[in-house]
Amino acid sequence: MVLTQNFQVTLNENLSLGINETKPQKCWPGLIKRYQAWLPVSEKTPVITLQEGGTPLIPINSISHRIGKNVSVYAKYDGLNPTGSFKDRGMTMAISKAKEQGCEAVICASTGNTSASAAAYAKRAGMRCFVLIPDGYVAQGKLAQALVYGAEVISIKGNFDKALNIVQSIADKYPITLVNSVNPFRLEGQKTAAFEIIEYLGEAPDWLCIPMGNAGNITAYWMGFNEYFNAGKSTKLPKMMGFQASGSAPLVLGKNIQDPQTIATAIRIGKPVNREKALMAKEKSNGGFLDVTDQEIIEAYKLLGKEEGIFAEPASAASIAGLIKRKDEVPNGATIVCVLTGNGLKDPDCAIANNDASFYSGLEANIETVAKTMGF
Ligand code: AN7
């Protein structure tokens, strides 16, 4: 295996963002090398990386126009990570630290993305990876990934919350490392997305809009924003605006949900383990939590695709749906970042069932028929 341990990080912050084109650029080294001073790693930590992080912050003007008030809305497109979701940021840390500690196997419960990411990084580290998933509720792309990456997949008759209970007990009893977001190294890795946003904008945004499931990611972003703020790299902290699907909104309703339901299967979670930390982030940032219906999620999902050319998975579109829903509260001239946590390719069934495209199938293979169908 090729490790990037000896890679010399010579990038300065501007270069790492690709802004300075006058000097030759080295490849993005992955977030552990890029942010090693901010992470609990040492010379001895074997860096297991797929060069995750360094994802683009894309202006999404059609959404800015919808909000009005001269706002600038950006998408932090973390669906462009190596396994197609933000989980890679946490997993490079969790697996590198597990490797450092001599661990040979990892386990997680997952609505899909964690399992794909855990499997990829675990296998790269030469470890076994067990994943527990809710039977029938994991999007096809995610399941395909876990299988191809060689995970040992256990599908249970029960939802994510049940699966998480089981893996927590197993990790307590047996020599296996848990890599869900209760693992503190996961959040350490994920906080780097906030660093990237501040470096790109030169300041923290006014609002951060983010989907919530287990609420690890909102917690990690809040950590990251605070660390850079305390280091003088930004002069303000964003309001943390968290969004959940209406059928699966324990943090909005203030109580656990026994049977969470939503088309956004990634965030079909009724008992978030990071509840207290997420509530703290909301309170300290003077932010807010709100739920969005599946219909609002799908509207935002379609807008992103057909107006912005961005294919994000339904759970990610909850951040856009939420911003649109709260648009009356947005301050004039605000800079807003919506986190797009996962790639749309993860869930092809949802895409095919929910789009406004013209799709003329099974036509005769001749010019006249095709031209006529095109309206000529
Ligand atoms: C695309 O993969 O929980 O609030 O098991 O896949 O940090 O839980 C996924 C969560 C948002 C919510 N967007 O993040 C899993 C899992 C996408 C996700 C979330 C998830 P957290």
Side-chain angles (χ1 to χ4, degrees):
M1 185 193 317
V2 181
L3 294 179
T4 53
Q5 268 192 33
N6 297 324
F7 190 97
Q8 285 297 310
V9 183
T10 54
L11 307 174
N12 66 30
E13 276 173 15
N14 285 339
L15 272 173
S16 71
L17 296 168
I19 290 169
N20 185 341
E21 307 238 329
T22 57
K23 291 187 201 159
Q25 293 178 35
K26 292 206 171 159
C27 206
W28 173 265
L31 62 84
I32 293 182
K33 284 290 169 191
R34 175 64 184 80
Y35 295 112
Q36 53 192 330
W38 300 85
L39 294 168
V41 290
S42 71
E43 312 281 87
K44 280 183 273 156
T45 312
V47 178
I48 311 298
T49 181
L50 288 159
Q51 270 115 44
E52 58 295 308
T55 56
L57 192 65
I58 308 173
I60 44 176
N61 296 335
S62 75
I63 307 296
S64 302
H65 289 144
R66 259 191 181 68
I67 307 299
K69 306 186 203 178
N70 258 330
V71 299
S72 304
V73 186
Y74 296 84
K76 179 63 173 164
Y77 193 12
D78 247 5
L80 291 182
N81 273 300
T83 79
S85 86
F86 73 97
K87 303 286 181 181
D88 295 344
R89 292 182 183 274
M91 221 47 87
T92 186
M93 274 300 298
I95 299 291
S96 295
K97 294 303 285 186
K99 188 79 182 164
E100 182 178 354
Q101 289 156 7
C103 143
E104 290 172 5
V106 296
I107 192 167
C108 65
S110 183
T111 57
N113 281 325
T114 301
S115 68
S117 186
Y121 284 82
K123 289 296 157 169
R124 207 165 163 77
M127 297 174 188
R128 290 177 74 180
C129 176
F130 295 88
V131 306
L132 257 74
I133 57 170
D135 199 21
Y137 286 95
V138 168
Q140 285 292 305
K142 303 174 188 180
L143 182 58
Q145 288 179 290
L147 296 171
V148 168
Y149 295 139
E152 294 167 62
V153 179
I154 299 165
S155 165
I156 61 156
K157 292 182 192 139
N159 60 28
F160 170 87
D161 306 298
K162 292 231 169 74
L164 186 59
N165 267 339
I166 296 171
V167 297
Q168 282 181 308
S169 304
I170 289 184
D172 282 346
K173 275 203 198 115
Y174 303 104
I176 187 162
T177 301
L178 184 62
V179 293
N180 281 104
S181 59
V182 283
N183 179 322
F185 298 121
R186 279 275 311 277
L187 303 189
E188 290 287 337
Q190 286 170 217
K191 77 185 179 189
T192 60
F195 297 168
E196 291 172 18
I197 290 171
I198 290 174
E199 282 161 16
Y200 187 97
L201 296 173
E203 179 55 284
D206 297 296
W207 278 25
L208 186 90
C209 299
I210 186 167
M212 298 185 297
N214 243 334
N217 213 25
I218 191 170
T219 304
Y221 268 86
W222 183 238
M223 276 168 58
F225 283 123
N226 275 281
E227 288 182 21
Y228 259 28
F229 174 77
N230 291 334
K233 287 177 179 274
S234 69
T235 65
K236 60 186 177 192
L237 287 161
K239 276 185 195 289
M240 302 300 283
M241 310 301 274
F243 299 101
Q244 298 202 290
S246 298
S248 181
L251 291 164
V252 178
L253 300 173
K255 61 173 197 291
N256 292 341
I257 308 294
Q258 290 311 316
D259 183 23
Q261 291 299 342
T262 168
I263 193 167
T265 51
I267 50 173
R268 188 173 164 269
I269 293 173
K271 192 171 169 253
V273 286
N274 296 295
R275 171 195 297 277
E276 297 311 321
K277 292 180 196 153
L279 287 170
M280 184 79 85
K282 181 182 84 160
E283 210 177 288
K284 290 253 164 83
S285 74
N286 200 16
F289 292 170
L290 188 68
D291 64 308
V292 285
T293 64
D294 279 6
Q295 200 185 339
E296 289 164 335
I297 288 174
I298 292 300
E299 277 310 308
Y301 170 83
K302 292 200 284 192
L303 282 181
L304 274 175
K306 68 186 181 189
E307 294 185 6
E308 297 290 356
I310 298 176
F311 190 17
E313 68 169 282
S316 305
S319 65
I320 306 285
L323 170 62
I324 293 172
K325 200 163 182 172
R326 296 199 87 138
K327 76 179 209 201
D328 292 344
E329 297 160 58
V330 174
N332 284 330
T335 299
I336 298 166
V337 172
C338 295
V339 184
L340 300 183
T341 44
N343 198 300
L345 292 168
K346 296 268 190 179
D347 194 347
D349 295 324
C350 177
I352 288 166
N354 296 285
N355 64 78
D356 299 331
S358 309
F359 180 25
Y360 312 100
S361 66
L363 297 189
E364 289 304 320
N366 62 62
I367 297 166
E368 295 73 37
T369 310
V370 173
K372 196 168 162 218
T373 306
M374 291 167 71
F376 293 115

